[in-house]
Amino acid sequence: MAIIHHSVEQAKYFLNQNQVIAIPTETVYGLAANAYNASAVQTVFQIKNRPNHDPLIVHTHVFEKVFDFVTNFPSKAQILAKKFWPGPLTLLLKKKNIQNLITANSPQVAVRIPNHPLALALLSQLNFPLVAPSANPFGYISPTRPQHVESQLGKYIPYILDGGLCHIGLESTIVGFQEEQPVVYRLGSISITSITKTIGPVLIKNHTQMQKAPGMDFSHYSPKKKLYVGDISMLCKKYAQYKIGVLSFKKNYTDKSIFVQKILSPSGSLTIAAKNLFHYLRLLDDSGIEMIIAEYVPNQDIGSTINDRLQRASAKSIC
Ligand code: TXA
Ligand code: MG
């Protein structure tokens, strides 16, 4: 069992000893370690059971610090950073002083300044940046509460810095550059519209185009139970012999085969739906049902990211 507490001092103590702990961010909880210590970084991969070809994001607390580990900061990247940091934006930039283990041998490092007061307080008191992948076993749903981390990884780590519920609930948007051309590699909580409003047109190379690239495995965020996404009433009829858990957007379904139902946002708010998505998927996964049936939400703003996560979470069930 890990200690769950809001003391930044304690978190600092463990990290300075090159131990791995969980930290809150505004997106999801991260499994954090000293980015400059090879064995601490290797432990992060081991705890998550994550393959070494899936690279890690490096977190810091101020813009100026990024120059400690990148050689080139294109002007469009700087414009994005100035607008969205601290916040749910990860930039892929040419690296220096960053071990190959972190970047899966790529010359680019992923960098982010998270927008969470405890994470920022902690990072500002450390002499090193932190690697922090989402604090879940590889391929499973990301954690948005300390208890999510504790239930799966608590036995491997001494401490979870308790920053409460993650207020966004979906991972950061990842943006890189091919020559001068900005490319979105992972849909996240900053919408494509906000990015194009800030720096003009972007290419989108989300998982569908990038299935073979490092860290871009299509199947991800998956619950243990089978998950199907589509027309809920039709799917409930098709699988009527199973105990079904439903994850709906705003409607309450009344089909007889429904055993448990979670509604992402009865008022139809995509922001609230995003915040609830991973928590509700976990609740359904841990309830006594046999299968989860969900529906896509309106494909706009953060709704596109919710749909991306639902599609990837259900990929194993389709295969
Ligand atoms: O919101 C977030 O980004 C959270 C919080 C904790 O900061 N972190 C997170 O990390 O989602 P993770 O490891 O679960 O996902 C990071 C993804 C990798 O799977 C990979 O696709 C991409 O970022 N990535 C990291 N470094 C990269 C690199 N050098 N080149 C290409 N992609 C990279
Ligand atoms: Mg992850």
Side-chain angles (χ1 to χ4, degrees):
M1 255 183 53
I3 302 164
I4 303 179
H5 197 272
H6 58 262
S7 163
V8 170
E9 267 307 304
Q10 285 253 28
K12 201 169 102 183
Y13 168 81
F14 288 116
L15 291 167
N16 277 325
Q17 290 196 331
N18 294 320
Q19 297 206 53
V20 175
I21 65 164
I23 60 163
T25 81
E26 79 282 29
T27 58
V28 300
Y29 273 73
L31 193 62
N34 178 354
Y36 293 154
N37 184 276
S39 86
V41 174
Q42 187 56 53
T43 308
V44 169
F45 281 96
Q46 278 159 5
I47 292 175
K48 274 186 68 83
N49 197 18
R50 173 161 166 148
N52 281 345
H53 65 71
D54 193 352
L56 307 178
I57 299 175
V58 172
H59 296 67
T60 189
H61 65 291
V62 279
F63 183 79
E64 293 70 33
K65 275 275 159 202
V66 174
F67 293 94
D68 288 357
F69 41 87
V70 311
T71 55
N72 184 23
F73 206 147
S75 57
K76 281 187 180 169
Q78 294 207 26
I79 294 168
L80 287 175
K82 295 244 158 78
K83 168 140 189 192
F84 294 111
W85 278 350
L89 168 75
T90 294
L91 290 171
L92 292 178
L93 301 168
K94 261 214 187 87
K95 73 172 184 180
K96 68 174 186 198
N97 304 330
I98 290 288
Q99 38 183 323
N100 279 332
L101 182 59
I102 292 178
T103 62
N105 293 321
S106 160
Q108 311 245 57
V109 60
V111 185
R112 169 164 126 77
I113 300 181
N115 189 15
H116 189 290
L118 293 189
L120 288 171
L122 175 63
L123 284 159
S124 70
Q125 292 175 44
L126 296 169
N127 294 325
F128 44 81
L130 292 173
V131 288
S134 53
N136 51 280
F138 180 67
Y140 195 67
I141 305 160
S142 297
T144 54
R145 304 173 173 219
Q147 291 71 23
H148 295 166
V149 183
E150 167 60 24
S151 67
Q152 293 185 302
L153 302 183
K155 51 183 177 292
Y156 307 118
I157 55 176
Y159 192 67
I160 298 169
L161 179 59
D162 186 354
L165 275 53
C166 298
H167 84 264
I168 294 178
L170 294 177
E171 300 83 352
S172 58
T173 305
I174 301 181
V175 182
F177 294 84
Q178 284 177 349
E179 314 295 326
E180 297 289 288
Q181 171 66 56
V183 182
V184 172
Y185 290 101
R186 177 174 74 181
L187 298 183
S189 39
I190 298 174
S191 70
I192 300 291
T193 319
S194 323
I195 291 175
T196 50
K197 265 192 199 147
T198 314
I199 53 165
V202 294
L203 276 179
I204 301 172
K205 290 200 172 174
N206 199 28
H207 56 84
T208 39
Q209 291 95 335
M210 293 286 292
Q211 285 177 40
K212 300 248 150 31
M216 294 291 167
D217 300 323
F218 183 79
S219 162
H220 226 95
Y221 317 103
S222 306
K224 292 168 279 207
K225 305 271 165 66
K226 274 196 178 304
L227 166 67
Y228 294 105
V229 189
D231 182 304
I232 288 182
S233 289
M234 258 174 56
L235 287 166
C236 282
K237 279 193 194 81
K238 180 169 174 190
Y239 294 111
Q241 74 273 32
Y242 294 99
K243 271 190 188 167
I244 291 172
V246 157
L247 183 66
S248 75
F249 173 44
K250 59 178 181 178
K251 190 171 148 188
N252 183 41
Y253 288 87
T254 53
D255 302 71
K256 285 202 187 68
S257 47
I258 298 176
F259 197 67
V260 199
Q261 178 158 205
K262 300 304 284 176
I263 305 175
L264 285 171
S265 170
S267 68
S269 153
L270 289 171
T271 313
I272 294 171
K275 191 171 171 168
N276 287 330
L277 178 71
F278 289 153
H279 181 51
Y280 286 180
L281 272 175
R282 280 172 178 263
L283 285 180
L284 289 170
D285 208 21
D286 293 339
S287 66
I289 53 153
E290 293 167 304
M291 156 186 308
I292 304 170
I293 288 178
E295 65 188 351
Y296 289 114
V297 304
N299 207 37
Q300 67 204 42
D301 304 324
I302 203 167
S304 314
T305 305
I306 296 174
N307 290 340
D308 169 82
R309 301 304 189 261
L310 283 171
Q311 196 191 2
R312 294 173 73 170
S314 62
K316 271 194 204 141
S317 307
I318 296 163
C319 300

